[in-house]
Amino acid sequence: MRSRGWTGVFFVAALLSSACAQERTPPMTLEEAQEALADRVMSLPGVTGIGVGECDGEPCIRVMVARVTQELTAQIPKSYEGFVVAIDETGDIEAH
């Protein structure tokens, strides 16, 4: 019976070792994160655009909305892939 316990320990150790050996995906760039977030938020009613900018001197993602509402602030994350997400109220944007 004692050997069964050690078999389990070796099995768990092997799993952990293989998990650590797998390549980790590199973090997203700011532009990649902005693009991925755009796929999620551009379909939300009231979102007028998305871009990159600075927040407190650091790179961030800026989501532009016609009007800031509780619904939108609940659906737009405060950070995404390690970058701060800021919400900017722009009013309605129309093509001229």
Side-chain angles (χ1 to χ4, degrees), residues 39-52:
D39 291 341
R40 285 181 47 189
V41 300
M42 285 304 296
S43 62
L44 297 174
V47 174
T48 57
I50 188 167
V52 296

Side-chain angles (χ1 to χ4, degrees), residues 33-51 61-66 71-80 85-87:
Q34 179 258 327
E35 219 174 279
L37 184 59
D39 291 341
R40 285 181 47 189
V41 300
M42 285 304 296
S43 62
L44 297 174
V47 174
T48 57
I50 188 167
I61 301 169
R62 303 195 79 88
V63 178
M64 292 154 275
V65 299
E71 276 184 70
L72 281 174
T73 56
Q75 294 178 22
I76 298 170
K78 293 182 183 356
S79 66
Y80 188 76
V85 176
I87 300 174

Side-chain angles (χ1 to χ4, degrees), residues 1 5 8 16 23-25 30 32 38 44 62 64 70-71 81-83 89-90 93:
M1 282 199 143
L16 290 173
E23 271 188 52
R24 291 194 172 113
T25 57
L30 177 62
E32 290 169 334
L44 297 174
R62 303 195 79 88
M64 292 154 275
Q70 287 181 347
E71 276 184 70
E81 294 294 329
F83 297 100
E89 187 171 307
T90 61
I93 296 177

